Amino acid sequence: MNNTTPFWEPDWKRVQAPLSALRRQLASFPSPPLRIMKVSQLDADLLDEELLETMKEQLWSAFALFKPSFKETFKPEMTLALNLIMYKFSVYDMGATYGSQLQNLIYRNEHKHSGGLQSTSSDAPLTKTQKITYGVVTVGGQYLMERLNRVVTAQGWGELPEDNIKRKAWNVLQKGGSIFRIVSLFNFLAFLYAGKYRTVLERVLSMRLVYAERNSNRQASFEFLNRQMVWHAFTEFLMFLMPLINVSKLKRNVKRVLLPAALMSGNELSALPSHICAICHENNSAAATPGTHTSTVIHNPYITDCGHIYCYYCIKTKMMIDDEWCCLRCGKKVDAIARHIEVAPDKALEEKTEDEPEQSEQEADEAGAEDDSVSEIQP
């Protein structure tokens, strides 16, 4: 069988050069921008933080039986090991963090998608240099900063003289931190505008989050969110409403409707001794703890118009809170109070009154004896 050249092959070879030139021109043409939802990227960051906190709690519980000083001393190293493990099995192996994978996101090398290649269907994976640099800065940088802050705080670099080299290094660290926070703020504003590069490091390394599967729909259930919003609004309404409700007044009105007056006046507080404040006794009984005892003796006594005595602070507070407050002993409404003054018996006065009759009898006897002597002298 004779090998004949297809009729179209010469023409195909002839148009290769124009096609290559056309491809290069298409790369420079503006293409529709690739839009990635900002909320998905921010949710991925929050999911990563929650997952890290969960793993930390499990790690700390594993060292619960160790000495507290051991955990506090090696806490940065244990956090470093945990971050390294999570980084290795997420960004280094899969090209995305666990939170990003849950949001259908993955990192791509944005250097390979400049110009008209921004919206191409195939995404360029991260290079090994990008992955290693990202891990060194995020994992190693976090560990170095935590260790450095511990050394600076322990040695008190910020309290040393201005000409000390450690104080100068501390000033440089403070200024560097302030500059980094300002740059991070501007980067976040740029992210809110364009939807690319959540952090400064991602922008420097050209690591952009894109959809792992372009054709998959975003499955978001707002049932839990709606339930949380309803409960949040309901609790805020209750917190606003509760201070406006006079619970004691409401309780008293309910008792008046449901209980007869004889039962209200025949409570256990009516049987208390007169030197015990019924309000103090009620408050201490409600908040009493085993093994404790608080005095309920009346201090600065005031008497109500129904004839019962309370502490001034207790009765005045109740009347200021509730203008229809009822006595705890008899159940009658208290309209007025007055200072109660107890007259203590004077023992000296009693002894004096007891001695006065005896002195009067002695004086009368003496007067009678004088009269008899005078009558005997006269002829």
Side-chain angles (χ1 to χ4, degrees):
M1 183 175 181
N2 297 328
N3 293 329
T4 58
T5 304
F7 69 93
W8 50 266
E9 186 172 351
D11 295 334
W12 174 252
K13 292 180 179 180
R14 187 173 60 255
V15 298
Q16 286 302 311
L19 285 176
S20 299
L22 182 61
R23 290 192 186 97
R24 289 192 296 269
Q25 291 178 3
L26 287 175
S28 62
F29 289 163
S31 63
L34 179 61
R35 301 293 185 183
I36 308 298
M37 295 187 65
K38 306 179 187 70
V39 65
S40 297
Q41 300 181 60
L42 296 177
D43 286 345
D45 194 16
L46 293 177
L47 288 172
D48 290 331
E49 293 179 359
E50 292 293 335
L51 178 61
L52 181 60
E53 290 299 324
T54 303
M55 297 296 292
K56 283 183 179 179
E57 290 180 0
Q58 297 296 326
L59 182 62
W60 305 151
S61 62
F63 290 93
L65 300 180
F66 287 73
K67 293 182 179 180
S69 58
F70 175 83
K71 173 186 171 183
E72 188 64 26
T73 303
F74 297 100
K75 185 177 180 180
E77 284 72 19
M78 290 188 289
T79 306
L80 173 64
L82 183 62
N83 287 331
L84 279 175
I85 294 173
M86 295 184 64
Y87 163 77
K88 171 62 174 62
F89 292 105
S90 60
V91 177
Y92 193 83
D93 292 343
M94 307 296 296
T97 61
Y98 292 112
S100 300
Q101 295 177 39
L102 291 174
Q103 295 293 327
N104 188 31
L105 297 174
I106 191 172
Y107 280 116
R108 80 173 183 182
N109 186 3
E110 197 66 12
H111 283 306
K112 302 293 184 179
H113 295 272
S114 59
L117 302 176
Q118 181 180 166
S119 300
T120 56
S121 58
S122 59
D123 298 319
L126 297 177
T127 62
K128 202 168 187 178
T129 303
Q130 287 176 315
K131 293 180 179 180
I132 293 176
T133 305
Y134 183 83
V136 169
V137 175
T138 55
V139 180
Q142 180 182 356
Y143 168 73
L144 291 177
M145 289 302 300
E146 187 174 358
R147 268 299 174 191
L148 184 59
N149 287 331
R150 287 197 171 198
V151 173
V152 169
T153 305
Q155 297 182 2
W157 288 13
E159 300 176 357
L160 297 175
E162 292 291 340
D163 56 348
N164 192 293
I165 187 172
K166 292 183 178 180
R167 177 59 184 271
K168 294 179 181 180
W170 182 82
N171 293 333
V172 171
L173 290 174
Q174 295 298 317
K175 292 180 180 178
S178 300
I179 294 173
F180 178 75
R181 285 189 289 269
I182 294 173
V183 173
S184 299
L185 174 61
F186 282 105
N187 179 82
F188 187 72
L189 295 176
F191 165 76
L192 294 179
Y193 176 77
K196 297 194 302 182
Y197 309 122
R198 297 172 303 175
T199 63
V200 178
L201 181 61
E202 291 179 357
R203 186 175 297 274
V204 172
L205 298 178
S206 296
M207 297 171 55
R208 183 185 179 185
L209 283 173
V210 295
Y211 291 122
E213 297 181 8
R214 303 283 179 87
N215 297 327
S216 63
N217 296 325
R218 181 173 183 264
Q219 301 294 334
S221 176
F222 296 99
E223 181 180 358
F224 177 75
L225 179 61
N226 293 335
R227 185 165 63 249
Q228 288 295 109
M229 292 179 65
V230 169
W231 278 109
H232 182 68
F234 182 68
T235 52
E236 282 191 346
F237 175 72
L238 288 180
M239 292 178 64
F240 168 77
L241 187 63
M242 287 303 295
L244 304 179
I245 299 177
N246 193 333
V247 180
S248 60
K249 185 176 181 180
L250 180 63
K251 182 180 178 181
R252 185 188 63 251
N253 292 335
V254 172
K255 284 184 176 181
R256 284 181 178 178
V257 174
L258 301 179
L259 300 178
L263 186 59
M264 292 182 62
S265 60
N267 53 22
E268 60 178 5
L269 299 178
S270 61
L272 291 175
S274 60
H275 67 280
I276 298 298
C277 177
I279 300 176
C280 293
H281 181 81
E282 183 183 43
N283 295 338
N284 293 335
S285 299
T289 57
T292 60
H293 176 72
T294 305
S295 176
T296 57
V297 179
I298 296 177
H299 299 281
N300 193 7
Y302 267 68
I303 189 171
T304 62
D305 51 359
C306 61
H308 296 106
I309 304 173
Y310 296 91
C311 301
Y312 172 75
Y313 175 79
C314 299
I315 187 65
K316 192 64 176 179
T317 303
K318 291 292 185 181
M319 295 183 67
M320 289 176 65
I321 296 175
D322 186 3
D323 54 354
E324 296 183 359
W325 185 77
C326 297
C327 179
L328 297 180
R329 292 178 179 269
C330 62
K332 296 181 180 178
K333 178 183 175 182
V334 177
D335 295 320
I337 58 175
R339 186 175 181 84
H340 178 66
I341 301 176
E342 295 182 356
V343 180
D346 192 348
K347 294 183 179 181
L349 182 61
E350 291 180 355
E351 292 177 356
K352 184 177 180 181
T353 53
E354 291 177 357
D355 293 341
E356 283 181 354
E358 296 179 356
Q359 293 178 358
S360 60
E361 292 178 359
Q362 291 179 359
E363 290 176 356
D365 294 339
E366 292 177 356
E370 290 178 357
D371 293 338
D372 295 339
S373 60
V374 170
S375 59
E376 291 177 355
I377 295 171
Q378 287 181 356

